[in-house]
């Protein structure tokens, strides 16, 4: 490769605009922040809302079948647009690119670049190579080129940040293709993680979410089974860090020291997202989920004993191959007992490359749909009941920039409670309006199935200005961002953090 390709790939293409469209999980959302950071470091600028970007990057998911359909549907819509837009490029990355590889170009030959989960950092060079050679450029590595958190990052939010503590997965769940796409688990050293968290806090962040495919197995690579609990406690010592969250833990690896760390570390939030997948012990065994319903419920019992107001959310798959009516009723019983505040429910769809895809007894779509609707109705009832129980309580909210779809008509703002519940609130006449990143304490006056509402009187409303709100003000005043910071020990120029972005700059689909 020539030296000119390695310098600054896009200096000769001033003000090329970009858009990132994200499909999938929070790991993908965080990867898209890195993609945005890389592109801006290479001279691209975010496309304005409604503007056709010179570059569209798809960061894909391979977990569910509709992700394939959505990607190729989007690519098909862009084909005639690209034909009319001189110099436009399309790139496809993420899990689906890692899985399909050459198939992406076979199905959509107008794509310019295909890159995998292990070489996000190559994207600017691949784009330049494709332009220079006037042909598609594909590069899929089978192992990590560099740990993703050493790449430039452009955050979606001023007040909150994601921090990857590990990548990859050592489990062999029969429905999941992630291990083959992201590789075996690799853990970052605690010092590197804490340095990144401190860098974010120095930049105005007050809330951090620790990310890992199985976040509570952190430490397996360097042989410390209590490493995750220690990491949570260490985050509690970081001055200015007000909220710590994590996702997603595996029930089989959930240990009491983690529960103790959650309960005893004030800035670790009373929230737990832990995938159940099925309430049937027989189906869990076929899924190769190395826990059973009794263990799952036992973890919840311990968490609620130590953290009484904890909100628990989960993932559930309906219609796994061989699931009988009795198996499904087991799931319904566990859901009833678990009292989840909300649940992400999915109809099983076979994913090529997974053992479950070739199993006998695939469940007919009609039966899966009927079970799915029953489960959703049950969880909706439980969610509404759990939310209604909070009416009359006072909640401290971290104010967000997104006021929701009805914010303009209701005049309400939005925030997240400590347990991560969404609350839409009004500001009483005569009270100061908070900035995104500030905190307000308000009484819950109304509850719905998926959110809470607060319409406080003046004497019931309390505003606490924060460093994150100050960072929002600085960002508003200076569109270049609130500053950049570098993780200790990284190569000079390798890490660029703390560049907040308006949400439209990274199109996120969940």
């Amino acid at each position: 490769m020539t030296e000119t390709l390695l310098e600054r790939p896009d200096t000769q293409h001033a003000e090329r605009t970009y858009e990132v469209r994200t499909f999938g999980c929070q790991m993908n959302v965080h990867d898209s922040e890195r993609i945005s950071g890389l592109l801006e470091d290479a001279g691209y600028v975010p496309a304005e809302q409604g503007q056709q970007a010179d570059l569209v990057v798809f960061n894909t998911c391979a977990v569910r079948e509709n992700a394939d359909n959505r990607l190729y549907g989007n690519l098909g819509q862009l084909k005639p647009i690209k034909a009319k837009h001189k110099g436009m490029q399309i790139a496809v990355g993420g899990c689906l690119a890692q899985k399909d590889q050459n198939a992406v170009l076979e199905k959509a030959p107008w794509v310019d670049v295909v890159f995998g989960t292990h070489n996000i950092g190559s994207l600017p060079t691949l784009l330049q190579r494709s332009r220079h050679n006037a042909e598609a450029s594909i590069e899929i590595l089978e192992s990590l080129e560099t740990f993703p958190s050493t790449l430039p990052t452009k955050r979606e939010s001023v007040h909150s940040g994601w921090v990857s503590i590990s990548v990859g997965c050592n489990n062999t769940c029969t429905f999941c293709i992630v291990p083959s796409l992201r590789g075996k688990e690799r853990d970052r050293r605690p010092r590197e993680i804490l340095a990144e968290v401190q860098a974010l806090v120095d930049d105005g962040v007050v809330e951090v979410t620790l990310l890992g495919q199985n976040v509570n197995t952190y430490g397996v690579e360097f042989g410390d089974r209590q490493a995750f609990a220690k990491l949570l406690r260490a985050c509690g010592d970081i001055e200015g860090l007000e909220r710590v969250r994590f996702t997603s833990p595996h029930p089989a690896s959930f240990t009491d020291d983690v529960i103790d760390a959650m309960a005893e570390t004030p800035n670790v939030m009373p929230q737990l997202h832990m995938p159940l997948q099925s309430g049937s012990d027989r189906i869990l065994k076929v899924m190769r989920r190395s826990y059973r319903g009794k263990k799952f419920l036992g973890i919840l019992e311990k968490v609620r004993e130590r953290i009484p107001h904890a909100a628990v959310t989960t993932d559930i798959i309906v219609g796994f191959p061989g699931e009988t009516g009795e198996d499904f009723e087991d799931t319904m019983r566990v859901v009833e007992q678990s009292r989840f505040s909300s649940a992400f429910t999915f109809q099983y769809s076979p994913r090529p490359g997974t053992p479950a895809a070739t199993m006998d007894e695939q469940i007919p779509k009609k039966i899966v749909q009927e079970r799915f609707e029953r489960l959703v109705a049950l969880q909706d009832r439980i969610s509404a009941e759990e939310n209604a129980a909070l009416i009359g309580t006072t909640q401290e909210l971290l104010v967000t920039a997104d006021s929701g779809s009805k914010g303009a008509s209701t005049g309400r703002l939005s925030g997240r409670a400590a347990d991560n519940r969404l609350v839409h609130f009004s500001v009483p006449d005569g009270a100061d309006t908070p900035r995104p990143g500030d905190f307000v304490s308000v009484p819950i006056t109304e509850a719905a199935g998926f959110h809470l509402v607060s319409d406080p009187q003046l004497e019931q409303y309390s505003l606490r200005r924060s460093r994150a709100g100050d960072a929002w003000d600085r960002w508003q005043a200076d569109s270049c961002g609130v500053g950049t910071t570098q993780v200790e020990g990284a190569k000079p120029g390798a890490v660029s953090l703390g560049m907040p972005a308006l949400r439209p700059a990274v199109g996120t689909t969940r």
Side-chain angles (χ1 to χ4, degrees):
M1 190 181 301
T2 63
E3 184 67 23
T4 54
L5 285 179
L6 292 173
E7 290 175 352
R8 191 170 178 81
D10 294 289
T11 50
Q12 65 189 47
H13 297 277
E15 300 299 306
R16 286 180 61 81
T17 60
Y18 78 92
E19 173 192 0
V20 181
R21 301 185 188 181
T22 309
F23 303 146
C25 66
Q26 288 158 320
M27 297 290 283
N28 278 25
V29 173
H30 191 28
D31 282 347
S32 288
E33 292 184 332
R34 298 185 183 110
I35 290 169
S36 296
L38 280 163
L39 292 173
E40 296 202 10
D41 197 50
Y44 290 81
V45 297
E48 296 181 5
Q49 195 164 13
Q51 174 190 13
Q52 178 56 56
D54 299 314
L55 166 66
V56 179
V57 182
F58 291 91
N59 187 17
T60 63
C61 169
V63 174
R64 287 175 288 279
E65 185 177 16
N66 69 340
D68 295 45
N69 300 332
R70 291 179 64 195
L71 170 66
Y72 292 111
N74 274 266
L75 290 176
Q77 292 171 6
L78 282 181
K79 181 180 180 181
I81 295 173
K82 183 185 178 188
K84 297 177 182 178
H85 189 113
K86 185 178 180 180
M88 180 179 174
Q89 288 187 293
I90 300 172
V92 177
C95 292
L96 190 63
Q98 187 77 27
K99 177 177 75 74
D100 285 359
Q101 302 191 11
N102 291 320
V104 174
L105 290 177
E106 292 171 3
K107 295 179 180 180
W110 54 93
V111 169
D112 299 279
V113 170
V114 181
F115 63 103
T117 57
H118 299 311
N119 63 321
I120 291 174
S122 299
L123 177 58
T125 297
L126 294 173
L127 290 165
Q128 176 69 357
R129 181 188 300 164
S130 175
R131 276 197 301 275
H132 181 271
N133 295 340
E135 63 181 18
S137 182
I138 179 169
E139 182 176 283
I140 306 289
L141 302 185
E142 297 306 316
S143 60
L144 272 181
E145 183 179 58
T146 182
F147 201 95
S149 286
T150 63
L151 301 174
T153 303
K154 179 175 178 177
R155 297 201 318 272
E156 284 192 15
S157 168
V158 176
H159 52 72
S160 300
W162 311 94
V163 175
S164 288
I165 69 172
S166 64
V167 294
C169 178
N170 293 340
N171 291 319
T172 57
C173 301
T174 54
F175 57 82
C176 185
I177 199 169
V178 167
S180 65
L181 301 180
R182 291 189 177 265
K184 292 292 185 180
E185 180 172 331
R186 290 188 57 185
D187 297 328
R188 299 176 71 193
R189 291 290 170 171
R191 190 187 73 162
E192 295 176 4
I193 296 167
L194 294 172
E196 182 172 346
V197 173
Q198 183 65 65
L200 289 167
V201 171
D202 291 345
D203 212 37
V205 163
V206 293
E207 177 183 68
V208 162
T209 301
L210 304 177
L211 291 177
Q213 213 68 52
N214 293 301
V215 72
N216 57 327
T217 59
Y218 172 72
V220 66
E221 192 177 26
F222 50 86
D224 185 351
R225 292 181 179 273
Q226 294 187 321
F228 184 61
K230 293 174 183 176
L231 184 63
L232 289 177
R233 292 183 185 276
C235 286
D237 293 332
I238 297 178
E239 185 176 353
L241 180 58
E242 302 209 27
R243 294 186 170 189
V244 177
R245 306 187 189 278
F246 58 89
T247 194
S248 291
H250 195 294
S253 306
F254 213 101
T255 50
D256 289 352
D257 63 310
V258 172
I259 298 173
D260 291 340
M262 292 174 65
E264 296 166 10
T265 310
N267 64 356
V268 175
M269 293 294 96
Q271 175 216 352
L272 175 64
H273 180 82
M274 186 167 65
L276 169 64
Q277 305 302 7
S278 175
S280 163
D281 288 352
R282 189 182 72 84
I283 293 298
L284 286 171
K285 183 177 180 179
V286 179
M287 287 178 167
R288 293 186 196 156
R289 301 284 290 178
S290 46
Y291 58 88
R292 300 295 177 257
K294 183 178 180 180
K295 177 179 176 65
F296 188 94
L297 291 169
I299 294 170
L300 299 192
E301 183 178 355
K302 290 179 181 179
V303 167
R304 285 166 172 155
E305 181 180 336
R306 296 297 313 275
I307 315 167
H309 302 298
V312 182
T313 57
T314 196
D315 300 330
I316 304 172
I317 297 172
V318 177
F320 188 80
E323 181 187 77
T324 65
E326 183 179 353
D327 292 325
F328 177 69
E329 293 302 331
D330 286 342
T331 295
M332 296 286 278
R333 281 191 287 271
V334 173
V335 169
E336 186 74 70
Q337 293 177 66
S338 297
R339 304 296 296 180
F340 299 117
S341 60
S342 66
F344 297 94
T345 51
F346 307 99
Q347 298 185 39
Y348 172 77
S349 60
R351 307 306 296 131
T354 63
T358 60
M359 288 180 178
D360 296 331
E361 299 182 86
Q362 299 286 329
I363 310 299
K365 171 68 175 175
K366 181 179 179 181
I367 294 176
V368 176
Q369 183 67 34
E370 290 172 352
R371 292 175 183 173
F372 178 77
E373 290 174 1
R374 285 186 57 203
L375 176 61
V376 169
L378 171 62
Q379 183 55 53
D380 285 353
R381 173 179 64 77
I382 294 171
S383 295
E385 292 170 354
E386 292 296 301
N387 281 351
L390 294 175
I391 294 176
T393 64
T394 296
Q395 302 288 330
E396 184 175 61
L397 314 179
L398 174 57
V399 181
T400 65
D402 184 3
S403 60
S405 59
K406 297 183 180 179
S409 59
T410 64
R412 293 190 181 107
L413 304 177
S414 298
R416 291 281 177 178
D419 64 10
N420 209 37
R421 281 184 169 91
L422 176 64
V423 182
H424 301 303
F425 68 96
S426 57
V427 178
D429 290 341
D432 291 334
T433 300
R435 306 160 298 182
D438 285 336
F439 293 87
V440 295
S441 293
V442 293
I444 302 303
T445 57
E446 187 181 334
F450 304 104
H451 65 269
L452 301 168
V453 174
S454 175
D455 290 319
Q457 301 297 314
L458 182 61
E459 65 274 11
Q460 298 175 308
Y461 173 88
S462 174
L463 167 63
R464 179 163 66 89
R465 301 285 188 181
S466 79
R467 296 163 51 258
D470 295 341
W472 172 266
D473 278 344
R474 293 196 302 272
W475 175 67
Q476 290 287 292
D478 182 359
S479 60
C480 292
V482 299
T484 59
T485 48
Q486 187 166 326
V487 174
E488 180 184 351
K491 295 180 181 179
V495 180
S496 176
L497 299 170
M499 296 182 290
L502 281 173
R503 186 167 297 274
V506 179
T508 301
T509 306
R510 304 191 184 200

